[in-house]
């Protein structure tokens, strides 16, 4: 279950592309893997609380991904509430037999330095609460560093392009299933060579980000 806002639901939603990566791995996954999102446009994590609790209790989830406002982890006004809500929801998710996971968001296209704040903030929170962090933001940084000309953002410079959403899905595949997506033959309509490069970046980014960092 992916809980978040437009960062999660843009471009037909991250989980849609994750499902297609899983089906590319094995067509049987179409029947055996259930993916869903619970999203509200512009939401902070606390805005999702009531509906998310109901959704979590509606079925036996294995993993619940938590994604808040794009600056919520680093904004002085929002970060205390983000931490409190993440802790509360993580407890409720665990009580329902699922694993909570934090979605590390990316820097805006015109503010690349944001990742220097986002990465340590998510890492500290993950360590403090014992929650796994999926380093999507670090994958964006790596892709922009390694692939000159790649466009990961929408023209608004904040939301993801199709390539950005696809990269995020590949990072989640790598992190949640512990397998390389590099050889999978699904590229979300992107040029196949670019798709492969993004899948490679996703796998590298997860491998370079330990489960627990200081």
């Amino acid at each position: 279950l992916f809980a978040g806002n437009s960062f999660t639901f843009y471009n037909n939603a991250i989980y849609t592309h994750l499902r297609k990566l899983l089906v590319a791995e094995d067509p049987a996954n179409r029947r055996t893997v259930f993916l869903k999102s619970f999203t509200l446009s512009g939401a902070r994590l606390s805005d999702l609380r009531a509906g998310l609790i109901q959704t979590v209790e509606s079925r036996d989830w294995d993993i619940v991904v938590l994604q808040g406002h794009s600056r919520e982890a680093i904004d002085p006004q929002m970060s205390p509430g983000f931490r409190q809500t993440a802790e509360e929801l993580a407890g409720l998710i665990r009580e329902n037999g699922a694993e909570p996971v934090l979605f590390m968001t990316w820097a805006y296209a015109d503010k690349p330095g944001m990742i220097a704040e986002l990465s340590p903030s998510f890492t500290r929170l993950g360590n403090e609460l014992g929650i796994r962090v999926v380093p999507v933001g670090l994958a964006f940084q790596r892709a922009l560093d390694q692939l000159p000309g790649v466009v990961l953002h929408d023209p608004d410079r904040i939301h993801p392009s199709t390539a950005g959403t696809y990269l995020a899905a590949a990072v989640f595949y790598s992190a949640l299933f512990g397998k390389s997506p590099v050889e999978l033959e699904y590229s979300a309509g992107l040029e196949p060579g670019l798709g492969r490069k993004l899948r490679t970046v996703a796998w590298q980014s997860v491998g370079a980000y330990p489960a627990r960092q200081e």
Side-chain angles (χ1 to χ4, degrees):
L1 175 64
F2 285 78
N5 54 38
S6 53
F7 271 35
T8 289
F9 70 63
Y10 246 56
N11 303 306
N12 204 24
I14 289 171
Y15 82 89
T16 301
H17 300 286
L18 176 56
R19 175 183 287 118
K20 291 182 178 181
L21 287 169
L22 288 163
V23 171
E25 173 199 330
D26 183 352
N29 284 333
R30 190 185 305 275
R31 299 185 301 275
T32 59
V33 178
F34 181 80
L35 301 170
K36 185 176 181 179
S37 63
F38 176 81
T39 58
L40 293 173
S41 181
R44 298 186 188 185
L45 196 58
S46 59
D47 296 327
L48 303 172
R49 183 190 287 108
L52 178 57
I53 292 171
Q54 184 177 24
T55 304
V56 167
E57 294 174 345
S58 69
R59 67 182 300 131
D60 294 330
W61 302 100
D62 295 304
I63 292 171
V64 179
V65 178
L66 300 175
Q67 181 253 311
H69 184 277
S70 55
R71 290 189 55 83
E72 197 169 357
I74 59 175
D75 184 283
Q77 301 299 316
M78 293 191 284
S79 58
F82 181 64
R83 188 197 187 286
Q84 180 180 350
T85 305
E87 183 173 18
E88 176 189 351
L89 290 176
L92 291 166
I93 290 165
R94 286 170 171 145
E95 287 174 7
N96 280 274
E99 177 192 356
V101 169
L102 286 173
F103 180 154
M104 181 197 293
T105 52
W106 52 81
Y108 300 165
D110 58 348
K111 297 180 180 178
M114 279 175 62
I115 193 60
E117 299 178 81
L118 288 165
S119 177
S121 294
F122 274 98
T123 298
R124 282 194 301 271
L125 183 58
N127 286 344
E128 290 170 5
L129 302 183
I131 301 175
R132 186 161 35 148
V133 176
V134 176
V136 177
L138 289 174
F140 266 57
Q141 179 190 41
R142 182 182 291 262
L144 292 168
D145 289 345
Q146 293 186 2
L147 307 175
V150 69
V151 178
L152 300 180
H153 296 81
D154 182 80
D156 69 8
R157 302 179 182 180
I158 295 174
H159 291 93
S161 65
T162 297
T165 295
Y166 177 74
L167 174 58
V171 174
F172 275 102
Y173 178 95
S174 302
L176 300 184
F177 296 92
K179 294 181 286 189
S180 170
V182 174
E183 301 300 328
L184 300 179
E185 295 185 358
Y186 169 68
S187 296
L190 303 171
E191 192 277 320
L194 175 58
R196 183 183 179 89
K197 290 175 182 177
L198 292 172
R199 295 193 301 274
T200 300
V201 166
W203 182 238
Q204 291 172 341
S205 300
V206 170
Y209 185 76
R212 296 179 70 79
Q213 293 186 349
E214 296 305 325

